[in-house]
Amino acid sequence: MRTLLRKDLRLSRLPLTVSVSLLFVPYFVVAAMLYQVYAPDLPSRGAIADYVASAAVFGLMFSAAGAGLLAGNIVACERADGSAVFLACRPVSRLQVIVSKLGVVAAGIGLMWFVHTAALFGIAPLLATDAQPYMNIDDPVGFAAAVTVVTTGVSWFASIVTRSPSLAISAGLGAAFLVPWLVYLVGLWIDVAPDDLTTTRTFTQWAVGSSGLLGGTYIYLKRVEP
């Protein structure tokens, strides 16, 4: 199992590098904004707290992109370069292979969420108890979670059924925008109340993402060819 994990980590070097870059980009941006707005004076603790909270919320949104990169690459890359055929000849079960890949994807997403939630619920309140992000988003953590789930699920499913990592990643990132918009348009067409529309959008995102994860995993386990 360790060998499989090391292999999947090597396969995910580029997505992991991009994800780590996205992890710190929001904090570098708000640091530059703080300097531009307040220099040569020092900003107050409250201002720093609000900027950190804002960066954390943006980071949670960016984590959906990192999740799509990881999930979309993890299976399709082996089918694209032919190494899936070699792996199929090795004395490892498909269940072990898919668990290793799921572990790498989950670890990458978990790292991103750990950093941003620690900043949002730990560092920002420590600086100022009334810290608030500047974005006017209801339940930003729940919103980011739904986007991350749908992106991960669709990318994972597409990575398993196609041979193109770029196509799988594009499918996941596209779903992050298309699913909410389709729900919104259908809701307008049938005249759904705004509160019900928000609930329906969140439910649909989780349903699509979960279906992609479960469906893709099932297909991988039952598929005969690599």
Side-chain angles (χ1 to χ4, degrees), residues 34 88 100-101 111 119 143 150 161 208:
L34 280 169
S100 172
K101 295 180 183 300
L111 174 62
F143 181 83
V150 71
V161 300
V208 171

Side-chain angles (χ1 to χ4, degrees), residues 66-90:
L69 290 170
L70 288 168
N73 175 78
I74 196 71
V75 179
C77 65
E78 286 188 325
R79 303 187 74 200
D81 64 14
S83 59
V85 177
F86 173 78
L87 182 61
C89 300
R90 308 303 297 172

Side-chain angles (χ1 to χ4, degrees), residues 124-205:
L126 188 64
L127 292 169
T129 55
D130 59 346
Q132 292 291 331
Y134 288 108
M135 293 79 69
N136 187 21
I137 302 175
D138 293 333
D139 188 19
V141 175
F143 181 83
V147 175
T148 301
V149 167
V150 71
T151 305
T152 304
V154 173
S155 295
W156 176 262
F157 182 87
S159 184
I160 288 172
V161 300
T162 68
R163 297 177 180 272
S164 171
S166 59
L167 179 60
I169 294 168
S170 298
L173 297 179
F177 293 96
L178 290 177
V179 170
W181 273 108
L182 287 175
V183 172
Y184 178 73
L185 292 175
V186 171
L188 288 179
W189 182 45
I190 62 178
D191 196 24
V192 177
D195 290 342
D196 294 336
L197 189 60
T198 300
T199 303
T200 303
R201 182 204 67 209
T202 302
F203 174 81
T204 303
Q205 288 172 305

Side-chain angles (χ1 to χ4, degrees), residues 58-69:
F58 272 116
L60 289 173
M61 303 302 174
F62 286 153
S63 68
L69 290 170

